[in-house]
Amino acid sequence: QVQLVESGGGLVQAGGSLRLSCAASGRTFSSYRMAWFRQAPGKEREFVAVISWSGGWYYYGDSMKGRVTISRDNAKNTVYLQMNTLKPEDTAVYYCAAVEKINGLPALPGSYDYWGQGTQVTVSS
């Protein structure tokens, strides 16, 4: 079992930056593939980024590509999402997800076994 707790969300003006953190506890964090998704009101959960257990491989969704960087620190059991040049349409609840052995596509929510409670990001115009 893995417990995930996101933090770092908040209110920011358009063009600003935020860094989200996801702290994991439970089983061996370093063996898990970690991802970030987001969900705006009335919309489906959307893939943002994924990173391999070692950090050596990562992939970004189209919605924020070029404006986000995913990273992890296995010594701190934490994965990060640095978000830059934020836009009002980036307003959403951002979720951290984890899976030890992925069987489906990494961009699909159903491919992950564990989820955090989410952190709200609001970008004002």
Side-chain angles (χ1 to χ4, degrees):
Q1 192 77 9
V2 174
Q3 292 80 41
L4 305 174
V5 179
E6 301 96 334
S7 62
L11 175 64
V12 63
Q13 288 188 334
S17 299
L18 281 175
R19 188 177 82 154
L20 306 182
S21 299
C22 173
S25 60
R27 298 183 63 182
T28 307
F29 172 76
S30 61
S31 66
Y32 280 73
R33 184 175 299 193
M34 304 296 297
W36 287 96
F37 287 77
R38 67 182 186 179
Q39 189 165 19
K43 295 188 176 181
E44 294 186 352
R45 195 161 294 192
E46 179 183 40
F47 171 73
V48 177
V50 62
I51 190 167
S52 66
W53 66 271
S54 68
W57 176 87
Y58 43 84
Y59 178 74
Y60 298 104
D62 291 338
S63 62
M64 299 191 79
K65 188 179 291 183
R67 299 187 293 123
V68 295
T69 301
I70 189 170
S71 61
R72 66 190 295 163
D73 185 338
N74 287 342
K76 296 182 178 179
N77 286 4
T78 303
V79 62
Y80 304 97
L81 186 71
Q82 176 67 44
M83 305 188 294
N84 301 319
T85 319
L86 285 163
K87 306 174 183 179
E89 51 263 44
D90 294 322
T91 295
V93 177
Y94 285 71
Y95 296 92
C96 174
V99 63
E100 187 168 20
K101 186 175 182 180
I102 198 163
N103 292 315
L105 295 175
L108 296 180
S111 298
Y112 297 85
D113 295 327
Y114 305 102
W115 291 85
Q117 83 290 347
T119 185
Q120 176 71 46
V121 171
T122 302
V123 184
S124 63
S125 57

